[in-house]
């Protein structure tokens, strides 16, 4: 089982506050896996999803959660998969301003660097 956690503030990016976020989870391999995602801030649960992610080339090889509103700091994001093969799960977060314009993209590699 792979387990990712990430705590983020709205002012993560210099010069702009994050208001919305899209999260993409994709499969980089050929074996299907299940992924559970949830997020909450100090006041509310933002979302809770369970997906079955198919092989990379299949129509269900990725999942997209769009326009998650970010209103209070901090945001706690949790991603749990039932596979332990390194690199099986590709995570990308698109950070948006109050107008819905993408102001930053965080890959899984960048999330690891922020955690260090």
């Amino acid at each position: 089982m792979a387990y990712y956690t990430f705590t983020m503030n709205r002012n993560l990016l210099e010069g702009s506050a994050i208001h919305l976020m899209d999260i993409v989870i994709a499969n980089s391999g050929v074996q299907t896996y299940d992924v559970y995602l949830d997020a909450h801030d100090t006041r509310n649960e933002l979302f809770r999803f369970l997906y079955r992610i198919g092989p990379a080339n299949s129509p269900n090889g990725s999942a997209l959660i769009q326009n998650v509103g970010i209103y209070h700091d901090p945001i706690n994001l949790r991603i749990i998969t039932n596979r332990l093969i390194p690199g099986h799960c590709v995570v990308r977060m698109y950070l948006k301003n109050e107008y819905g314009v993408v102001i930053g993209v965080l890959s899984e590699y960048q999330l690891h660097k922020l955690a260090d």
Side-chain angles (χ1 to χ4, degrees), residues 75-91:
I75 305 303
N76 297 303
L77 174 66
R78 187 170 55 162
I79 301 169
I80 303 169
T81 71
N82 64 345
R83 303 273 304 153
L84 189 53
I85 298 169
H88 73 284
C89 180
V90 179
V91 179

Side-chain angles (χ1 to χ4, degrees), residues 7 10 13-14 25 33 43 49 61 74 80 98 103 107 112:
T7 300
R10 293 181 68 200
L13 303 175
E14 287 184 33
I25 305 292
Y33 65 87
R43 299 182 185 178
F49 293 107
I80 303 169
E98 66 270 19
I103 56 175
S107 67
H112 285 288

Side-chain angles (χ1 to χ4, degrees), residues 8-41:
M8 173 178 91
N9 291 313
R10 293 181 68 200
N11 296 317
L12 176 68
L13 303 175
E14 287 184 33
S16 292
I18 301 165
H19 290 270
L20 298 167
M21 176 174 54
D22 292 349
I23 303 168
V24 178
I25 305 292
N27 192 341
S28 63
V30 295
Q31 294 195 350
T32 299
Y33 65 87
D34 297 321
V35 61
Y36 171 83
L37 297 96
D38 70 18
H40 63 275
D41 59 24

